[in-house]
């Protein structure tokens, strides 16, 4: 008699049915705005299969029921982590950082505190890129970065701030020596210094819900997340982001997510950079 193997258990999981896909699609849309179009069945099945199997569920239907019934939110968070795309990199979309350094920073250099928000920061590379740039350009200035994401797992990684060598290859050597501490000889990983980490506040924020603070920022980076939302959700999110942007403040979105199809009250500056125009007087720089 053949013993049950991992493979036969795997086979025992019924394929994701159209009805199950629809249930998961709706749940992902309602809870975190993910717009799973028809054709994403394979992706959903592949990304959730491990959770379904590890949880001992016989079907995606049982797994779905567990998420809905789990009042702790842990199961839902697990599904969000599995379905969300966390890809990111240091200095990703470098045009943005060139513009930030040459155009935005000189305008806010006179501010007592420089405040930026990295919304949907994933594992933190965008956050630390901003921190390095701010500290390079404005030494000694009070820097505050709020870094948020829906994923607790990504936030934990981001706040631990320790990156394997291969993810640090594009970092300028001067940044590596000033703002990171090498681990191992030769270095196997780099960890952001405590001084930089003290400038960043991490918080879980779901962009499709009401934001938890009334605060307005001088600069918001919200990149490569709205691409996963439909137009209605994008409009809602951009409206909220605008409310949290100082008059004259800048919003950076991903280059793949131009706001041309989205109705918004922002002024276009250049590809994937927008500005809150409501008060274009000199006071923004003070
Ligand atoms: C592709 S990463 C973008 C990281 C970084 N901003 C960049 O451009 O490199 C997308 C991130 O959006 C997060 N995310 C997805 N839906 C979200 C939501 N509703 N609210 C907040 N963050 C969300 C994911 O957890 C993921 O970390």
């Amino acid at each position: 008699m053949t013993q049950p193997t991992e493979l036969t258990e795997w086979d025992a999981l019924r394929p994701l049915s159209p009805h199950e896909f629809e249930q998961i699609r709706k749940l992902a849309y309602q809870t975190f705005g993910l717009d799973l179009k028809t054709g994403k069945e394979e992706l959903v099945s592949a990304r959730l299969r491990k959770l379904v199997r590890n949880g001992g569920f016989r079907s995606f239907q049982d797994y779905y029921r567990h998420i809905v019934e789990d009042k702790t939110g842990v199961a839902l968070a697990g599904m969000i982590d599995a379905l969300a795309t966390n890809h990111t990199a240091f200095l990703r979309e470098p045009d943005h950082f060139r513009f930030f350094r040459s155009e935005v920073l000189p305008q806010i250099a006179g501010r007592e505190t420089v405040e930026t928000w990295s919304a949907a920061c994933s594992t933190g590379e965008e956050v630390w890129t901003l921190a390095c740039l701010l500290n390079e350009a404005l030494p000694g200035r009070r820097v505050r970065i709020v870094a948020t994401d829906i994923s607790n797992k990504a936030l934990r990684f981001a706040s631990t701030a320790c990156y394997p060598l291969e993810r640090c290859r594009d970092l300028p050597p001067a940044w590596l020596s000033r703002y990171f501490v090498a681990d191992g000889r030769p270095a196997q990983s780099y960890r952001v210094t405590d001084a930089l980490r003290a400038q960043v506040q991490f918080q879980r924020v779901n962009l499709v819900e009401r934001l938890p603070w009334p605060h307005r920022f001088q600069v918001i980076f919200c990149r490569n997340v709205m691409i996963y939302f439909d137009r209605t959700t994008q409009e809602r999110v951009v409206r909220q982001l605008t409310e949290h942007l100082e008059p004259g403040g800048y919003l950076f979105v991903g280059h793949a997510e131009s706001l041309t199809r989205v109705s918004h009250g922002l002024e276009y500056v250049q590809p994937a950079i927008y500005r809150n125009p409501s008060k274009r007087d000199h006071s923004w720089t003070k």
Side-chain angles (χ1 to χ4, degrees), residues 28-29 31-34 80-81 83-93 96-97 117-127 148-152 154-155 203-209 211 221-229 233 237 252-255 257:
Y29 182 73
T31 52
F32 74 110
L34 179 65
I80 293 174
D81 273 340
L83 291 180
T85 300
N86 293 119
H87 173 77
T88 186
F90 288 111
L91 287 159
R92 183 180 192 186
E93 302 184 21
H96 274 163
F97 297 109
W117 175 20
S118 168
C121 67
S122 188
T123 43
E125 285 86 335
E126 179 178 280
V127 179
T148 67
D149 199 281
I150 197 171
S151 165
N152 284 323
L155 287 170
Q203 191 175 340
R204 183 180 184 274
V205 167
N206 182 350
L207 289 169
V208 306
E209 291 175 354
L211 298 179
F221 276 68
C222 183
R223 305 187 309 160
N224 303 301
V225 60
M226 283 190 279
I227 197 168
Y228 302 107
F229 300 158
T233 310
V237 171
F252 293 75
V253 300
H255 281 84
E257 41 191 17

Side-chain angles (χ1 to χ4, degrees), residues 234-269:
Q234 287 173 349
E235 273 172 9
R236 192 147 42 95
V237 171
V238 171
R239 206 175 313 123
Q240 278 219 86
L241 293 173
T242 307
E243 282 168 18
H244 288 78
L245 197 57
E246 282 189 9
Y250 288 89
L251 171 67
F252 293 75
V253 300
H255 281 84
E257 41 191 17
S258 120
L259 302 184
T260 40
R261 290 178 341 120
V262 171
S263 106
H264 62 81
L266 297 166
E267 177 186 295
Y268 171 85
V269 178

Side-chain angles (χ1 to χ4, degrees), residues 35-102:
D35 182 24
L36 286 167
K37 300 220 164 47
T38 308
K40 296 287 182 191
E41 291 84 349
E42 272 300 309
L43 177 123
V44 167
S45 172
R47 289 197 174 175
L48 296 184
R49 186 173 293 149
K50 198 166 154 204
L51 287 176
V52 179
R53 266 202 323 147
N54 290 353
F57 303 105
R58 302 289 299 170
S59 65
F60 285 93
Q61 173 72 47
D62 289 351
Y63 171 65
Y64 168 80
R65 200 173 302 124
H66 168 68
I67 299 175
V68 175
E69 286 170 0
D70 173 25
K71 298 286 175 259
T72 67
V74 172
L76 178 64
M79 183 195 81
I80 293 174
D81 273 340
L83 291 180
T85 300
N86 293 119
H87 173 77
T88 186
F90 288 111
L91 287 159
R92 183 180 192 186
E93 302 184 21
D95 284 4
H96 274 163
F97 297 109
R98 274 194 285 275
F99 183 89
F100 181 67
R101 186 170 39 203
S102 63

Side-chain angles (χ1 to χ4, degrees), residues 1 98 133 147 164 176 232:
M1 200 172 85
R98 274 194 285 275
L133 270 170
L176 275 179
T232 312

